[in-house]
Amino acid sequence: MADELKMETKCYDANEYGYLYGLNRRIPDEEFEKVKDYMRDFRRKDFVDGIIKVTGRPEGYRCLEKDVAKVEEILGIENTLAKRQEKIRKAFEDPIAKTNLKDKAYEWLNTLFKKTGTHPKQDLSRLAVHSTKIYDPQDSFKKGAENGEGEIFIYTPHGMWYIINNCGPNSDTSINNVESTDGGAIGYRLMYDDTVDTLIRIYTEENEYSGKKLY
């Protein structure tokens, strides 16, 4: 059975467009023709700095968030972006539901990054300088970096990183793969994915890092 048709985020452009959307699977050409006017065949040259400030897959037919509902209506998509966003918004209104949703998002993120992500050597300052955005859940990194604690999620052109500070007095720094001025961290990388992006945004509440400069 084919995946349920829906519009999903394909990339995030930090300079101009924000999130760009596309279909989660191919549809017959005659169906695509009906929505083509709301899509644009993006190429590297269409972005301010090429794609150095874009996370994800920017090239191909994409649409802006303001046009997503039109595409969904034409194609008869029931699992709409607005419904998914409203579900999260409603959960966030209830403290218990919000906590449960964030806990579940964190469990999934841990599993996805640690079980399926890669673990390459990297430098935190390099990731930061090339980032499109950095989320810091509850300012944990901002408050804990000097003590070797905290975690951040960094979006870069080559993927999404989950960075866990690991340079406190009792930390086993031999397992670190990310160098930093504070003493190092553990980092896992996944390629951009709509589901992972949603989970990160739920867990972090889209709280952007505002601590000391990382590069």
Side-chain angles (χ1 to χ4, degrees):
M1 181 178 171
D3 290 341
E4 177 188 25
L5 188 65
K6 67 175 183 178
M7 292 290 282
E8 64 180 13
T9 57
K10 294 296 185 182
C11 67
Y12 172 76
D13 170 34
N15 281 328
E16 183 177 4
Y17 299 109
Y19 280 100
L20 291 175
Y21 294 77
L23 293 162
N24 64 324
R25 60 177 170 83
R26 285 187 66 84
I27 59 174
D29 290 346
E30 58 270 24
E31 287 293 295
F32 186 71
E33 283 298 323
K34 297 175 185 176
V35 296
K36 202 171 178 182
D37 286 347
Y38 297 105
M39 314 283 278
R40 176 175 165 185
D41 190 8
F42 277 91
R43 292 289 178 261
R44 288 173 183 246
K45 62 179 175 59
D46 298 318
F47 297 90
V48 173
D49 296 319
I51 57 170
I52 62 170
K53 282 294 179 182
V54 180
T55 299
R57 303 183 301 282
E59 295 178 278
Y61 279 96
R62 309 283 181 250
C63 81
L64 301 174
E65 186 161 338
K66 69 181 180 66
D67 294 321
V68 168
K70 294 168 189 168
V71 174
E72 291 171 332
E73 182 182 3
I74 292 167
L75 296 177
I77 293 173
E78 294 183 3
N79 182 11
T80 65
L81 175 66
K83 282 181 185 175
R84 300 198 301 274
Q85 290 176 336
E86 178 64 11
K87 192 174 178 182
I88 295 168
R89 190 189 67 76
K90 280 204 159 184
F92 268 47
E93 287 179 350
D94 179 326
I96 295 173
K98 177 180 176 178
T99 298
N100 289 338
L101 183 59
K102 286 183 66 175
D103 285 350
K104 188 55 102 176
Y106 182 64
E107 284 176 29
W108 274 102
L109 287 170
N110 250 311
T111 300
L112 289 166
F113 273 99
K114 293 179 181 178
K115 294 281 172 58
T116 64
T118 56
H119 192 61
K121 287 193 176 297
Q122 189 52 271
D123 187 285
L124 184 60
S125 63
R126 183 174 170 79
L127 290 177
V129 79
H130 291 294
S131 66
T132 58
K133 60 180 168 181
I134 302 174
Y135 286 139
D136 184 7
Q138 298 181 310
D139 285 336
S140 70
F141 206 89
K142 177 182 178 179
K143 295 171 182 173
E146 289 184 4
N147 298 319
E149 299 169 351
E151 57 187 6
I152 48 177
F153 293 87
I154 303 181
Y155 288 51
T156 75
H158 298 295
M160 310 157 91
W161 284 78
Y162 176 28
I163 305 290
I164 306 157
N165 221 352
N166 187 51
C167 51
N170 300 313
S171 300
D172 177 6
T173 56
S174 68
I175 59 175
N176 290 346
N177 62 308
V178 176
E179 292 182 19
S180 74
T181 54
D182 291 315
I186 303 166
Y188 301 93
R189 182 182 69 184
L190 286 171
M191 299 312 288
Y192 183 86
D193 175 83
D194 173 76
T195 300
V196 178
D197 176 60
T198 300
L199 291 169
I200 291 173
R201 290 161 75 187
I202 289 170
Y203 174 59
T204 64
E205 296 185 59
E206 299 191 58
N207 182 54
E208 299 209 19
Y209 175 72
S210 59
K212 68 176 185 178
K213 201 170 183 180
L214 297 174
Y215 58 89

